[in-house]
């Protein structure tokens, strides 16, 4: 150090501070603590996990004051226990079964942290993404990876069967399945999932409603023409051996082996289907067809970001910064091109190149489904979880002929209403 500068600065604490300030750039250069944000999410492999890791690393590089650490675990089932133990994650991805979190007052409303000026606003995301996890006017969960139900098909089989276009209605789908069954007796025309996320869309497309109007969400509407039409439709397919019930890995494996013509699944599963096929035949995808109402319908599924209670203001601010960044254009475009999930914002969707869309029809169809006014979020209340469980059970019984459609719907309505009204124990 120049002697003249030392003389001007003096010695002792004040002089040492001045020298240090000159060397480091002043008070602002003093190191601030990095806010540590734990993120619990359950993707432990494949393109989703790879994309999530890439994006978190991207965020950490561009936000030096915040560091997000991924912890791969089932937050939907473990986060409440962690809260009770005094060690909840700051940020978590949980499923739409978030009613138990709300009942435990475990979540912060995202409104003051993420919404409004400088953050997210209605119109930035697709409507079904925006309203997913909204209770009243408060957002407690917002979609991190939105997915919708869709149908994947063997293009080669369709061509050999003389089917020139994908079906636009459920009635047309039934006719196509009959053709496939007649021309390829050893092929399963349709493999379907007996879960509420796949039962409710055709029910809604046939004019059904989640709740009986005027019941204040205390009654369902399964004793309706739409429910009879939906249950009977699949019962007929099953009786004619034109469909089977199957799930996940089994559907993908048999479809990849050419044993299934049309596979029910989600937009998130399309890339997995391609892996199972391994280039043996061309694969296409189409949205759930229109019902008797004249329109299609779908439910948004998937994990959503939540901010849990019992953290510092700085940690909450760090988590909020990450969520807002996640929904910015660059991360959303990357997510839509690499994860297998569609972007959740309109601006990112239109920025994905047409060349990518042409080779990734699963993403293209998913975007069209998210943009549809007839795509809605799954219900939040804890009681509706039980409704969905009994719906799965009675749909399976009715379709497979274990009970009549009338009896199945009558008992379904009774049990579902008991859960919604609170007269049955959850």
């Amino acid at each position: 150090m120049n002697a003249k500068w030392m003389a001007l600065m003096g010695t002792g604490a004040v002089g040492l501070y001045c020298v240090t300030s000159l060397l480091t750039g002043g008070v602002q250069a003093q190191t601030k603590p990095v806010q540590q944000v734990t993120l619990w999410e359950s993707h432990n492999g494949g393109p989703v996990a790879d994309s999530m890791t890439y994006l978190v690393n991207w965020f950490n590089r561009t936000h030096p004051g915040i560091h997000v650490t991924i912890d791969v675990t089932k937050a939907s089932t473990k986060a409440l226990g962690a809260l009770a133990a005094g060690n909840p994650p700051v940020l978590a991805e949980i499923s739409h079964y978030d009613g138990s979190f709300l009942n435990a007052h475990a979540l912060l409303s995202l409104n003051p942290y993420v919404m409004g000026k400088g953050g997210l606003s209605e119109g930035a995301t697709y409507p079904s993404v925006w309203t997913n996890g909204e209770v009243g006017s408060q957002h407690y969960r917002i979609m991190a990876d939105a997915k919708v139900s869709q149908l994947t098909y063997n293009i080669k089989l369709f061509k050999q069967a003389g089917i020139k276009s994908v079906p636009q209605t459920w009635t047309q789908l039934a006719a196509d399945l009959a053709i496939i069954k007649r021309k390829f007796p050893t092929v399963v025309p349709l493999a379907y999932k007996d879960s509420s996320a796949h039962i409710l869309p055709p029910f809604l497309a046939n004019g059904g409603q989640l709740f009986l109007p005027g019941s204040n969400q205390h009654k369902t509407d399964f004793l309706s023409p739409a429910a009879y039409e939906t249950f009977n439709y699949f019962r007929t397919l099953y009786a004619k051996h034109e469909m089977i019930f199957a799930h996940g890995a089994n559907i993908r494996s048999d479809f990849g082996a050419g044993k299934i013509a049309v596979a029910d699944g989600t937009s998130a599963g399309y890339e997995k289907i391609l892996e199972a096929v391994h280039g043996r035949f061309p694969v296409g995808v189409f949205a759930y067809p229109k019902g008797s109402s004249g329109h299609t319908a779908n439910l948004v599924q998937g994990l959503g970001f939540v901010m849990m209670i019992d953290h510092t203001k700085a940690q909450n601010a760090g988590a909020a910064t990450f969520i807002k960044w996640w929904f910015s254009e660059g991360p959303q475009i990357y997510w839509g091109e690499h994860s297998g999930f569609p972007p959740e914002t309109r601006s990112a969707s239109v920025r994905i190149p047409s060349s990518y869309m042409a080779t990734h029809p699963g993403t293209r169809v998913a975007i069209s489904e998210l943009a549809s006014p007839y795509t809605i979020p799954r219900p939040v209340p804890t009681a509706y979880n039980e409704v969905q469980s009994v719906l799965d059970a009675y749909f399976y019984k009715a379709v497979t002929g274990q009970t009549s459609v009338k009896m199945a719907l009558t008992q379904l309505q009774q049990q579902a209403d008991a859960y919604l009204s609170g007269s049955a124990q959850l």
Side-chain angles (χ1 to χ4, degrees):
M1 175 66 70
N2 186 292
K4 184 178 179 180
W5 279 102
M6 291 295 292
L8 288 171
M9 303 272 181
T11 57
V14 174
L16 180 60
Y17 170 80
C18 293
V19 173
T20 303
S21 296
L22 282 173
L23 293 175
T24 62
V27 176
Q28 288 78 7
Q30 293 182 354
T31 303
K32 293 183 179 180
V34 175
Q35 292 304 322
Q36 300 293 332
V37 175
T38 52
L39 167 59
W40 281 17
E41 64 95 30
S42 59
H43 298 114
N44 59 0
V48 181
D50 292 344
S51 298
M52 177 66 73
T53 300
Y54 180 90
L55 287 171
V56 167
N57 289 338
W58 179 359
F59 175 84
N60 288 337
R61 287 195 309 270
T62 54
H63 296 75
I66 307 169
H67 188 271
V68 176
T69 301
I70 296 178
D71 188 350
V72 178
T73 189
K74 298 289 185 180
S76 295
T77 56
K78 295 182 179 180
L80 284 180
L83 177 61
N87 189 32
V90 181
L91 190 61
E93 287 186 38
I94 66 172
S95 72
H96 54 274
Y97 300 122
D98 52 349
S100 57
F101 283 77
L102 295 175
N103 291 341
H105 305 287
L107 306 179
L108 295 175
S109 169
L110 298 177
N111 288 37
Y113 294 97
V114 177
M115 312 301 176
K117 187 176 180 180
L120 296 177
S121 60
E122 189 171 3
T125 66
Y126 289 105
S128 51
V129 171
W130 178 258
T131 55
N132 211 302
E134 183 181 18
V135 178
S137 60
Q138 300 298 307
H139 295 79
Y140 291 94
R141 177 176 53 86
I142 190 163
M143 298 303 297
D145 41 88
K147 61 181 179 180
V148 286
S149 298
Q150 53 187 214
L151 295 167
T152 303
Y153 70 104
N154 184 324
I155 293 177
K156 181 179 179 180
L157 277 178
F158 267 52
K159 286 184 177 180
Q160 290 176 342
I163 301 171
K164 298 181 179 180
S165 62
V166 297
Q168 299 299 309
T169 66
W170 287 99
T171 300
Q172 185 181 347
L173 173 61
D176 290 343
L177 297 177
I179 292 172
I180 291 169
K181 183 63 180 177
R182 184 170 65 253
K183 295 202 171 186
F184 306 103
T186 61
V187 172
V188 174
L190 171 66
Y192 206 76
K193 296 185 175 183
D194 59 329
S195 69
S196 58
H198 302 264
I199 301 166
L200 288 173
F203 165 69
L204 295 170
N206 287 330
Q209 302 173 93
L210 295 181
F211 302 100
L212 186 69
S215 69
N216 196 28
Q217 298 190 355
H218 288 160
K219 289 182 178 293
T220 55
D221 195 25
F222 290 125
L223 288 177
S224 64
Y228 277 94
E229 180 179 3
T230 304
F231 276 49
N232 279 317
Y233 175 88
F234 287 97
R235 182 185 178 100
T236 299
L237 292 182
Y238 189 90
K240 294 165 65 176
H241 304 289
E242 293 171 359
M243 71 158 282
I244 62 169
F245 282 124
H247 288 277
N250 291 335
I251 289 181
R252 292 191 293 270
S253 176
D254 287 346
F255 184 87
K259 298 178 181 179
I260 297 172
V262 181
D264 181 35
T266 68
S267 53
Y270 180 73
E271 298 298 321
K272 296 178 181 178
I273 283 278
L274 293 183
E275 291 178 8
V277 172
H278 204 61
R280 285 186 286 269
F281 52 83
V283 179
V285 62
F286 58 94
Y288 270 20
K290 297 176 183 178
S292 57
S293 67
H295 63 73
T296 186
N298 220 309
L299 295 177
V300 174
Q301 311 167 57
L303 302 176
F305 289 124
V306 296
M307 292 171 54
M308 298 198 68
I309 62 171
D310 288 355
H311 295 289
T312 67
K313 291 182 180 180
Q315 287 175 309
N316 292 338
T321 299
F322 177 79
I323 294 175
K324 288 186 284 187
W325 177 85
W326 175 271
F327 284 97
S328 61
E329 194 166 275
Q332 279 293 300
I333 292 173
Y334 184 90
W335 182 250
E337 291 184 345
H338 294 86
S339 69
F341 286 91
E344 291 145 334
T345 63
R346 300 175 189 274
S347 61
S349 294
V350 300
R351 292 288 302 277
I352 294 181
S354 57
S355 57
Y356 178 90
M357 292 295 200
T359 56
H360 293 77
T363 300
R364 174 176 50 79
V365 171
I367 288 174
S368 70
E369 290 174 299
L370 282 180
S372 169
Y374 302 110
T375 296
I376 63 174
R378 295 180 79 168
V380 170
T382 301
Y384 208 87
N385 299 350
E386 306 302 326
V387 173
Q388 292 173 141
S389 294
V390 293
L391 170 60
D392 296 352
Y394 282 110
F395 181 74
Y396 184 86
K397 289 180 180 179
V399 171
T400 58
Q402 297 178 38
T403 185
S404 69
V405 169
K406 181 178 181 180
M407 180 176 293
L409 291 175
T410 299
Q411 294 180 346
L412 168 60
Q413 178 85 19
Q414 291 173 347
Q415 291 191 25
D417 290 354
Y419 285 124
L420 291 180
S421 66
S423 62
Q425 189 72 30
L426 294 179

